[in-house]
Amino acid sequence: MTPFAPTMQANLVAARMLNVRLNLPSQAWQEEFILAIPATVAWPAPVLTLFHGYGEEPGDVVANSPLVGEAMARGFVVFIPLGAHKYNYGVDYAQRNIELAFEFLSARLPLDLDRIYAAGFSMGGGAAASFAARHQDPDGLRIAAVVNHTGTASTRATYQQSNDTGLFLSPLMFGASPSQDPFAYQRSSTIDLDALGGQLIPEGEMASNLSHVPTRHWNADFDPNPYIVEQTERLHDQMVFRGADSARHVVQSSAHSWSTLDAVAVMDWLAPHTAQLPAPGSVNRAMVDRSGQWNQLEVAQAQPGAFTPVTWSSQPTGNMLYLIEMANAGSVRAHLDDLALDRGSDVRVVLQITDASTPDVALTGFTAPPMNVLRRGVATSAWTYDALTGSVTLEERAGAGWSDWTIVP
């Protein structure tokens, strides 16, 4: 049964602009969104997803954001989700609502899935970046480029500096403070900033997932919410540290408003980008908050409700895959072709596991079982070959520490 049953209500509110309400039986909150389709569009069409600010609804974005008209004039479909409710701060269930809305749209419209963009203002700026950091599936939903306009990048810091902590403590939101449930706040953020001490908490940093996603940050120089400006600055700095294509634009204004965004400049910058995978040879740090596809890696967690960090790199020149600084991993799977590794030569896999988990590592793309598999230079039987999928699975059993595997074809 479709998750959108039994009803979908759509009302025409303007020429080629739909106000849609989805019935989602699997979710506690239903989802509303505005879908704006330009009069002239070339299918498959690029999609600009706009994330609203605190207390806003999709209609407020239409009224206040110059990006809506500018994007439509360029042939972009504009998708403005509510994300469950007006005060969501990118909480997990709000992002799930948006996922289901994307699923609904992509099943009905020919969308260019390599040209999905995210832009958001204030609370929505943080939500846009968080959504991009948590959606990295090359065969599904991923974001090609992000525009963060004075976004609340850290829900911990926002809680600490908020005049309404009751919103965060509500069982309808996080249901706890950041110290009581840090993971819930971290997975809805891109940086974990302790505003009281001014320190970044690296264990909760999802910005590393955006190291290959171009991002632009905007804010007014005299924005009346300096703590949000600080979060914007700290996110940009951390992305630069991670080697990302990140830049800041500071405009002369004292307004906290969508209107301080230069829509022409934003769309000129967004339009050429297409979604990319991390390049072979690059070093990447994935902060996995749930099992799924994360760029070239399919990661299954050992235990849900916590992060699975993986620093990884495929090295074609040495025909090697590094999976290090890894914890809470049940299994990692990848295809040799996606890693630019040669199935006809020895393939080395270097593991470092920082906890007691014993993940399986499966490499797919072998046309025959290997002649031998070595662990730390010694032949081992702790592996299997699946002829149906062409997968060699290395069964790590030793727990914490380093392992060096070699698959001999």
Side-chain angles (χ1 to χ4, degrees), residues 2-9 21-26 30-31:
T2 172
F4 311 109
T7 62
M8 187 281 287
Q9 299 172 355
R21 180 189 297 273
L22 293 180
N23 181 37
L24 304 175
S26 63
Q30 303 309 294
E31 182 58 21

Side-chain angles (χ1 to χ4, degrees), residues 3 13 64 67-68 70 84 95 134 143 153 216 238 278 296-297 302 327 333 362-363 367 370 383 393 403 409:
V13 297
N64 298 325
L67 285 172
V68 178
E70 184 65 28
Q95 295 201 27
R134 296 183 67 225
I143 303 299
R216 293 295 180 265
Q238 194 63 15
Q296 290 97 322
L297 305 181
R333 175 180 292 271
L363 294 181
T367 56
W383 62 278
T393 300
S403 294

Side-chain angles (χ1 to χ4, degrees), residues 90-99 130-131 134-135 187:
V91 70
D92 177 62
Y93 65 77
Q95 295 201 27
R96 180 57 181 156
N97 266 28
I98 297 171
E99 290 172 10
S130 173
F131 191 85
R134 296 183 67 225
H135 294 84
R187 73 190 307 211

Side-chain angles (χ1 to χ4, degrees), residues 157-211:
T158 305
Y159 171 92
Q160 291 172 332
Q161 297 177 305
S162 173
N163 294 322
D164 183 14
T165 58
L167 170 69
F168 297 90
L169 296 172
S170 167
L172 300 178
M173 278 291 287
F174 296 104
S177 70
S179 59
Q180 292 169 324
D181 191 353
F183 174 69
Y185 284 77
Q186 290 163 345
R187 73 190 307 211
S188 300
S189 306
T190 42
I191 55 173
D192 190 12
L193 173 64
D194 181 355
L196 302 180
Q199 301 298 314
L200 290 173
I201 301 171
E203 294 80 7
E205 183 218 316
M206 295 199 76
S208 59
N209 293 355
L210 298 174
S211 62

Side-chain angles (χ1 to χ4, degrees), residues 43-61:
W43 302 101
V47 182
L48 177 62
T49 306
L50 297 177
F51 291 75
H52 63 81
Y54 180 86
E56 289 188 337
E57 296 180 341
D60 297 312
V61 180

Side-chain angles (χ1 to χ4, degrees), residues 70 74 263-272:
E70 184 65 28
R74 297 175 186 233
V264 173
V266 166
M267 293 307 302
D268 283 347
W269 177 76
L270 282 176

Side-chain angles (χ1 to χ4, degrees), residues 79-129:
F79 168 53
I80 313 172
L82 177 62
H85 56 78
K86 298 188 291 184
Y87 312 103
N88 63 68
Y89 280 102
V91 70
D92 177 62
Y93 65 77
Q95 295 201 27
R96 180 57 181 156
N97 266 28
I98 297 171
E99 290 172 10
L100 290 170
F102 262 120
E103 180 182 320
F104 175 85
L105 292 177
S106 61
R108 289 158 176 81
L109 292 173
L111 305 178
D112 186 344
L113 298 183
D114 289 328
R115 297 186 66 204
I116 298 175
Y117 308 95
F121 165 64
S122 196
M123 181 188 79

Side-chain angles (χ1 to χ4, degrees), residues 331-352:
S331 66
V332 179
R333 175 180 292 271
H335 198 287
L336 292 171
D337 292 344
D338 295 336
L339 301 172
L341 300 182
D342 179 12
R343 63 181 53 79
S345 303
D346 289 2
V347 179
R348 286 184 61 196
V349 179
V350 177
L351 298 179
Q352 181 202 18

